Amino acid sequence: MSQSTRERLINSAIKIFSRKGYFNTKISDIVKDAGLAQGTFYIYFKSKKDIFAEIVNFVVSEIECTIKKFERKEGSPSEIIKEFAREIFDILYRFKDIAYIFFFQVICMEEEFREINIKTSQKIKKFYQEKLKDELKAEILIGYGKRLVEFDILVEDKEKDVVVDKFLSAVDLIAGEKK
Amino acid sequence: MSQSTRERLINSAIKIFSRKGYFNTKISDIVKDAGLAQGTFYIYFKSKKDIFAEIVNFVVSEIECTIKKFERKEGSPSEIIKEFAREIFDILYRFKDIAYIFFFQVICMEEEFREINIKTSQKIKKFYQEKLKDELKAEILIGYGKRLVEFDILVEDKEKDVVVDKFLSAVDLIAGEKK
Amino acid sequence: MSQSTRERLINSAIKIFSRKGYFNTKISDIVKDAGLAQGTFYIYFKSKKDIFAEIVNFVVSEIECTIKKFERKEGSPSEIIKEFAREIFDILYRFKDIAYIFFFQVICMEEEFREINIKTSQKIKKFYQEKLKDELKAEILIGYGKRLVEFDILVEDKEKDVVVDKFLSAVDLIAGEKK
Amino acid sequence: MSQSTRERLINSAIKIFSRKGYFNTKISDIVKDAGLAQGTFYIYFKSKKDIFAEIVNFVVSEIECTIKKFERKEGSPSEIIKEFAREIFDILYRFKDIAYIFFFQVICMEEEFREINIKTSQKIKKFYQEKLKDELKAEILIGYGKRLVEFDILVEDKEKDVVVDKFLSAVDLIAGEKK
DNA sequence: TATGAATGAGACTTCATTCAT
DNA sequence: AATGAATGAAGTCTCATTCAT
């Protein structure tokens, strides 16, 4: 079997959540897309919230892993940040639909979920700050990164290379070691 | 009468939308808060979406007015941007609950609404760009501004002066004319 | 209006519960019988359990009132018991359908409900015992009373006079003061 | 194999039915308790109702056998009734869980099942009546017997000896040949 | 026989909206 | 204008039963 029932449900859920939004998505949409019966959903997930949480946690853990990996790295701060950004954008492009959910859906839900979004962004900020030793610069980078994701990637659907280049230029502008 | 029925409904709607989110808000919540009967709502608004649109359009028009006002102004770009920012933050602080809806609710709704958010942010970007003659810098400022609103103001609830100062510093860092 | 919506729902619920049993009764049966819309039910009651509890509490309070009334009475024990029985049977005949629910439905539900049935029967036993000064006799009377209700009244649908006479004979046989 | 699959299912069903009631018992509860798969149930039983009927019929046939055995016996009526009662209580104690189902579950189900309970109790009544030549006394004994089962045994969980003694005293009181 | 994933009918419940007063 | 009871469509969830392995 190419894909387990569980995976089919998750993939369909990601697809529908990112197209119609959490609240406009019905379980029936998900199972229809997955070609399964209504009841099958409840064998694998307790509720709509449950499958949503699973999806959200997936992005979060991907991002957190990347942060951890780069935290230990030594070297030129702006080089590390650039490298880090490349990987983060890589993840986001690979899981565009999930990223969509993370940036546009999580934000308008209950406290519980919104917090996940906030905490993750705070972790990235902390990472930038430790590298740059400058809070303002860290925050500006975070803001610009989020802008690129929310607008250039998820709305405008721009090429990865273009977006990454823009971010790298911003790093140079903001964090660039003056020669 | 100090407040018309219509205004009472709008104020209650703003309050509830910003606390519970569009989808979690019931008409019954709004009318209960306004101390009115269920049916009264439909004398003034066609639907839940209708009152939501009215609220969203309110912030948008306030922001657009401000943009128009500053577009014509002549002078040092970074000074104009700073002045502009002061006024925009002023509006956002005055209508915090509406800002909350604009930044956290509109974004996860149908195309129709999300577009309003996007267009507004594009208008501000255009304004920055015309002043700074630099797209990258304009985008970075937009990103940082949004970050301040979404995090410092709406999540952390920081003082206006503190937030404005941070933004002004960012303007100096990014757009600052080198003397 | 001859009957409030609430009353119509209760009356229909009593009717259906007593014919089909608690678990076989659907909210849709109740509202159909009452000639109302599905949603109307939930304006007045939280759930099926809720309306059931209301009905059960009604019989219980009627019976408890009668016990209280007779507890204080002075005189020949068997005469008081006979008088008491007449009134209890009166109530049960007047609210036959509710009695049906109380004797045949409550018994097979969760602890919470079954206990109500048990407690009520214990209160009657205590009443008999205080009058007769004999636990065995009190228990026998309780047993016979319950048998009459469950079988002669609710299954066989016998006339009130016949049933009451049978119970009074039993009182004479068991509790009769020997002359 | 110590216990056939069929027996395991029946034993689990008895256990669960008597704890949670017919309607609150899921097939999944039964098979889980029996350590079997969902589908296995349907190899042995047509439906939930089917296994329930089998269980109910078991008690009924045990009781009917006992009645038949004692019908033919000659001797002092009250002695025969006492002996009979001892055996019946013996059965009920041996199969307490099934008795529970018979007294508390069967009663609130469809006609079809309730009748089984009624008929059985009528058979016992007929037996008493033939021995005592007195309908009232027979009915009183039936009522008290049922009370002992439903309350002393199944609710209060009293010792067999205590319960049997109470019943024997009642026989003396009601049916006792005056010396 | 035994399995257990999948099914889908059917029940519950919510809530935006209508409408007679 | 205001009311608030009533509506019913729409969605969630459960679980007895089937069936391919």
Side-chain angles (χ1 to χ4, degrees):
Chain A
M1 183 200 327
S2 65
Q3 225 189 356
S4 75
T5 301
R6 194 166 202 286
E7 278 165 342
R8 270 163 68 200
L9 282 168
I10 291 199
N11 288 330
S12 294
I14 289 169
K15 187 162 125 195
I16 313 286
F17 279 145
S18 70
R19 279 180 198 20
K20 318 189 23 164
Y22 178 80
F23 290 101
N24 288 322
T25 295
K26 290 161 265 163
I27 304 294
S28 65
D29 295 331
I30 298 173
V31 293
K32 200 185 297 161
D33 184 88
L36 293 164
Q38 191 81 6
T40 307
F41 180 91
Y42 293 92
I43 297 173
Y44 297 94
F45 302 97
K46 262 204 343 280
S47 63
K48 188 162 80 154
K49 205 169 161 178
D50 190 38
I51 196 173
F52 185 79
E54 177 134 348
I55 292 167
V56 168
N57 288 331
F58 175 79
V59 218
V60 172
S61 65
E62 287 281 322
I63 292 176
E64 289 187 344
C65 277
T66 310
I67 296 176
K68 261 185 207 123
K69 199 169 98 186
F70 280 85
E71 263 169 0
R72 303 178 230 113
K73 287 216 175 153
E74 304 280 336
S76 146
S78 67
E79 282 316 308
I80 291 176
I81 286 176
K82 283 176 180 178
E83 188 106 17
F84 168 79
R86 266 188 217 100
E87 277 202 26
I88 289 286
F89 281 121
D90 223 65
I91 293 169
L92 296 174
Y93 268 92
R94 227 166 343 116
F95 307 108
K96 243 189 207 175
D97 281 344
I98 309 190
Y100 200 91
I101 294 168
F102 189 68
F103 284 92
F104 290 146
Q105 295 304 315
V106 154
I107 234 166
C108 51
M109 290 190 55
E110 293 91 81
E111 202 67 357
E112 177 195 346
F113 281 99
R114 198 211 308 315
E115 230 157 66
I116 294 176
N117 182 301
I118 294 166
K119 272 188 186 151
T120 309
S121 120
Q122 284 311 85
K123 276 179 191 158
I124 299 181
K125 181 196 141 180
K126 209 175 123 246
F127 170 73
Y128 286 162
Q129 200 170 335
E130 267 159 21
K131 295 299 172 200
L132 297 175
K133 320 281 182 213
D134 184 322
E135 192 173 3
L136 181 62
K137 289 178 177 176
E139 286 189 8
I140 293 174
L141 274 188
I142 270 288
Y144 188 52
K146 191 151 185 264
R147 150 100 198 172
L148 285 173
V149 180
E150 282 183 11
F151 189 73
D152 293 62
I153 301 180
L154 299 180
V155 173
E156 299 264 276
D157 199 26
K158 288 191 183 148
E159 290 284 306
K160 182 160 78 178
D161 288 344
V162 176
V163 173
V164 170
D165 278 351
K166 284 173 82 170
F167 190 76
L168 300 189
S169 307
V171 175
D172 282 333
L173 181 70
I174 291 157
E177 287 98 39
K178 304 103 203 160
K179 286 129 217 178
Chain B
M1 186 199 326
S2 65
Q3 230 190 353
S4 74
T5 302
R6 194 166 203 285
E7 278 166 341
R8 271 160 69 196
L9 283 168
I10 292 202
N11 287 329
S12 294
I14 290 169
K15 187 162 126 194
I16 313 287
F17 279 145
S18 70
R19 279 178 198 20
K20 316 187 24 164
Y22 178 80
F23 289 100
N24 289 322
T25 294
K26 292 171 257 171
I27 301 295
S28 65
D29 294 332
I30 297 173
V31 293
K32 199 185 296 162
D33 185 86
L36 293 164
Q38 194 85 356
T40 307
F41 180 91
Y42 292 89
I43 297 170
Y44 297 94
F45 301 96
K46 260 204 348 277
S47 64
K48 184 162 90 155
K49 210 167 158 177
D50 190 36
I51 196 172
F52 185 78
E54 177 136 346
I55 291 167
V56 168
N57 287 332
F58 175 79
V59 220
V60 172
S61 65
E62 288 279 322
I63 293 176
E64 289 187 343
C65 276
T66 310
I67 296 177
K68 259 180 210 131
K69 199 169 97 187
F70 279 85
E71 262 168 1
R72 301 177 232 115
K73 286 213 177 160
E74 303 281 335
S76 145
S78 68
E79 281 317 307
I80 291 176
I81 285 176
K82 283 176 180 178
E83 189 103 18
F84 169 80
R86 266 188 217 102
E87 276 200 27
I88 290 287
F89 282 122
D90 223 66
I91 293 168
L92 296 173
Y93 269 93
R94 230 169 336 123
F95 306 108
K96 241 187 207 178
D97 280 347
I98 309 190
Y100 201 91
I101 294 168
F102 188 68
F103 283 90
F104 291 146
Q105 294 304 314
V106 155
I107 231 166
C108 49
M109 291 189 57
E110 293 91 82
E111 200 68 357
E112 177 195 347
F113 279 98
R114 200 214 305 314
E115 231 156 66
I116 295 176
N117 181 302
I118 294 166
K119 272 187 186 154
T120 308
S121 119
Q122 285 311 85
K123 277 177 191 158
I124 299 180
K125 181 193 142 181
K126 211 175 121 243
F127 169 74
Y128 287 160
Q129 199 169 337
E130 268 159 20
K131 295 299 172 199
L132 296 175
K133 320 282 180 210
D134 185 320
E135 193 175 2
L136 180 63
K137 288 178 178 175
E139 284 188 9
I140 293 174
L141 274 188
I142 271 287
Y144 188 51
K146 190 154 185 263
R147 150 99 199 172
L148 286 172
V149 179
E150 281 182 11
F151 188 73
D152 293 61
I153 301 180
L154 299 179
V155 173
E156 297 265 276
D157 200 26
K158 287 191 183 147
E159 291 283 307
K160 183 161 76 176
D161 289 343
V162 176
V163 174
V164 170
D165 278 352
K166 284 173 83 170
F167 191 75
L168 301 189
S169 306
V171 175
D172 281 335
L173 180 70
I174 291 157
E177 289 100 37
K178 303 102 205 161
K179 284 132 218 178
Chain C
M1 183 201 326
S2 65
Q3 230 191 352
S4 75
T5 302
R6 194 166 204 285
E7 279 165 341
R8 270 162 69 197
L9 284 168
I10 292 202
N11 288 330
S12 295
I14 289 170
K15 187 162 125 193
I16 314 288
F17 279 145
S18 69
R19 280 182 197 17
K20 314 185 30 162
Y22 179 81
F23 290 102
N24 287 321
T25 294
K26 292 162 263 164
I27 304 293
S28 66
D29 295 331
I30 296 174
V31 293
K32 199 185 296 159
D33 184 87
L36 294 164
Q38 190 83 1
T40 307
F41 180 89
Y42 293 91
I43 297 173
Y44 297 94
F45 302 97
K46 266 205 340 279
S47 64
K48 186 162 80 154
K49 205 169 160 178
D50 190 35
I51 196 173
F52 184 78
E54 177 135 345
I55 292 167
V56 168
N57 288 332
F58 175 79
V59 218
V60 172
S61 64
E62 288 279 322
I63 293 175
E64 289 187 343
C65 278
T66 310
I67 296 177
K68 261 184 207 126
K69 200 169 96 187
F70 280 84
E71 263 168 1
R72 303 178 229 113
K73 285 213 178 160
E74 303 281 336
S76 146
S78 68
E79 281 317 306
I80 290 174
I81 286 176
K82 283 176 180 178
E83 188 107 16
F84 169 80
R86 266 188 216 103
E87 275 199 29
I88 290 287
F89 282 122
D90 223 66
I91 293 169
L92 296 173
Y93 269 92
R94 227 165 343 118
F95 306 110
K96 244 187 204 177
D97 281 347
I98 309 189
Y100 201 91
I101 295 169
F102 189 68
F103 283 91
F104 290 146
Q105 294 304 313
V106 155
I107 232 166
C108 52
M109 292 189 55
E110 292 92 79
E111 201 67 358
E112 178 195 346
F113 280 100
R114 201 213 302 316
E115 230 157 67
I116 294 175
N117 181 301
I118 294 167
K119 273 188 186 153
T120 308
S121 116
Q122 284 312 85
K123 277 179 191 159
I124 299 181
K125 182 195 143 179
K126 210 175 124 246
F127 169 73
Y128 287 160
Q129 198 170 336
E130 268 158 22
K131 295 299 172 199
L132 298 175
K133 319 284 180 210
D134 185 321
E135 193 174 1
L136 180 63
K137 288 177 178 177
E139 284 189 8
I140 293 174
L141 273 188
I142 271 287
Y144 188 52
K146 192 154 184 263
R147 149 98 198 174
L148 285 173
V149 179
E150 282 182 12
F151 189 72
D152 293 62
I153 301 180
L154 300 179
V155 172
E156 297 266 276
D157 200 26
K158 286 191 185 148
E159 291 284 308
K160 183 162 76 178
D161 288 343
V162 176
V163 173
V164 170
D165 278 351
K166 285 173 81 171
F167 190 75
L168 301 190
S169 305
V171 174
D172 281 333
L173 179 70
I174 291 157
E177 288 101 36
K178 303 102 204 161
K179 285 132 216 177
Chain D
M1 184 199 326
S2 65
Q3 226 189 356
S4 75
T5 302
R6 195 166 202 286
E7 278 166 340
R8 271 162 68 197
L9 282 168
I10 291 201
N11 287 329
S12 294
I14 290 169
K15 185 161 127 194
I16 313 288
F17 279 145
S18 70
R19 279 179 198 21
K20 318 190 18 167
Y22 179 80
F23 290 101
N24 289 321
T25 294
K26 293 173 256 169
I27 301 294
S28 64
D29 295 330
I30 297 173
V31 293
K32 199 185 297 161
D33 185 87
L36 294 163
Q38 193 85 356
T40 307
F41 180 90
Y42 291 89
I43 297 170
Y44 297 95
F45 301 97
K46 260 201 354 273
S47 64
K48 186 163 87 154
K49 209 167 158 177
D50 191 36
I51 196 173
F52 185 77
E54 177 135 346
I55 292 168
V56 168
N57 288 331
F58 175 79
V59 220
V60 173
S61 63
E62 288 280 322
I63 291 175
E64 289 186 346
C65 278
T66 310
I67 296 176
K68 264 187 205 120
K69 200 170 96 188
F70 280 84
E71 261 168 0
R72 304 179 230 112
K73 285 213 177 156
E74 303 280 337
S76 146
S78 67
E79 281 317 308
I80 291 176
I81 288 177
K82 283 177 180 178
E83 188 104 16
F84 169 78
R86 266 189 215 100
E87 276 200 28
I88 290 288
F89 282 122
D90 223 66
I91 293 168
L92 296 173
Y93 268 93
R94 225 164 346 114
F95 306 109
K96 242 189 207 175
D97 280 346
I98 309 188
Y100 201 91
I101 295 168
F102 188 67
F103 283 91
F104 291 146
Q105 293 303 315
V106 154
I107 232 166
C108 51
M109 290 188 58
E110 295 92 80
E111 202 66 357
E112 176 194 348
F113 278 100
R114 199 209 311 311
E115 232 157 64
I116 295 175
N117 181 301
I118 294 167
K119 273 189 185 150
T120 309
S121 120
Q122 283 312 84
K123 278 178 191 158
I124 299 181
K125 181 195 142 181
K126 211 174 122 243
F127 170 73
Y128 286 161
Q129 200 170 335
E130 269 159 18
K131 295 298 171 201
L132 297 175
K133 320 285 182 207
D134 184 321
E135 191 174 4
L136 180 63
K137 288 179 177 174
E139 286 188 8
I140 293 174
L141 274 188
I142 270 287
Y144 188 52
K146 192 154 184 259
R147 150 99 199 174
L148 284 173
V149 179
E150 282 183 11
F151 188 72
D152 293 63
I153 301 181
L154 300 179
V155 172
E156 297 265 276
D157 200 27
K158 288 192 183 146
E159 290 284 307
K160 183 162 77 178
D161 289 345
V162 175
V163 173
V164 170
D165 279 352
K166 283 174 83 171
F167 190 76
L168 302 189
S169 305
V171 174
D172 282 334
L173 180 69
I174 291 157
E177 289 99 37
K178 301 106 203 157
K179 286 130 215 177

